[in-house]
Amino acid sequence: MSGAAAALLAACTNNTTSPIGTDGKPLPRVYRITPQLAEVIPFRLLDSVNSLRSAKGSAPLNFDAALNAASLTHSRDMSVQNRPWHFGSDGSSPLLRAQRVNYTGRLLGELISETFQTELETLAAWMAQPDTRDVLLDPRATSIGFAWFQESNGKIWWTVMLGA
């Protein structure tokens, strides 16, 4: 192969590799949520959840403004606490947060995540665990709240709440 052909071929290959962490695994890539992407993410998640629910014979969900608000509050609060857990910095439970935003339905569950992954990767992780999958596919559910908070370093705090 001539030198010019080899150089041209080398230019066509993708030499980008992910940096490797001390554990030998690729470091997470930052999923930057732009304002344009922020408009699409909720509906992409809702469509995906409803497709999964349909495959299991469960009715589709609709967004609930109160549950969206409670989810956003908790996503921001987890960032402040710097830990993914179901209790707020004021000791609030998912049920209390739903009540605070005047959600009048029955809260069935809350899913949370601290990650650099996309909403669909996070959904896949939730579906891989029986307890979180059961919340998403609960046939009693009729409404969903969904929100996130992204820190400047790219870390995303996801929250989903389901109700009936």
Side-chain angles (χ1 to χ4, degrees):
M1 183 183 301
S2 73
L8 183 60
L9 186 57
C12 292
T13 61
N14 184 354
N15 289 329
T16 59
T17 58
S18 296
I20 304 297
T22 57
D23 60 358
K25 295 180 181 176
L27 292 173
R29 292 182 182 212
V30 175
Y31 176 57
R32 284 278 171 220
I33 300 176
T34 64
Q36 296 80 12
L37 192 54
E39 292 180 14
V40 175
I41 288 173
F43 300 102
R44 189 162 45 205
L45 180 98
L46 181 63
D47 288 346
S48 298
V49 168
N50 282 338
S51 292
L52 293 165
R53 289 176 59 80
S54 176
K56 292 295 182 181
S58 295
L61 303 175
N62 293 303
F63 280 125
D64 181 276
L67 291 180
N68 285 342
S71 295
L72 180 58
T73 297
H74 193 55
S75 292
R76 289 180 176 162
D77 191 49
M78 285 189 296
S79 172
V80 169
Q81 297 181 73
N82 196 31
R83 63 179 172 178
W85 77 322
H86 293 283
F87 294 94
S89 56
D90 61 356
S92 61
S93 68
L95 181 59
L96 182 56
R97 286 192 298 277
Q99 290 170 344
R100 284 179 178 168
V101 295
N102 297 317
Y103 179 64
T104 58
R106 181 171 160 216
L107 185 66
L108 298 175
E110 178 184 73
L111 305 178
I112 58 172
S113 179
E114 166 198 18
T115 185
F116 289 89
Q117 295 179 314
T118 70
E119 68 284 355
L120 296 182
E121 290 168 320
T122 301
L123 176 59
W126 286 331
M127 288 298 291
Q129 298 299 317
D131 56 339
T132 52
R133 179 177 54 243
D134 288 348
V135 172
L136 287 166
L137 301 180
D138 188 332
R140 300 171 298 166
T142 57
S143 56
I144 186 171
F146 170 61
W148 66 89
F149 178 77
Q150 186 165 41
E151 296 179 357
S152 60
N153 67 3
K155 184 189 296 184
I156 307 168
W157 302 87
W158 302 102
T159 304
V160 165
M161 299 177 85
L162 275 81

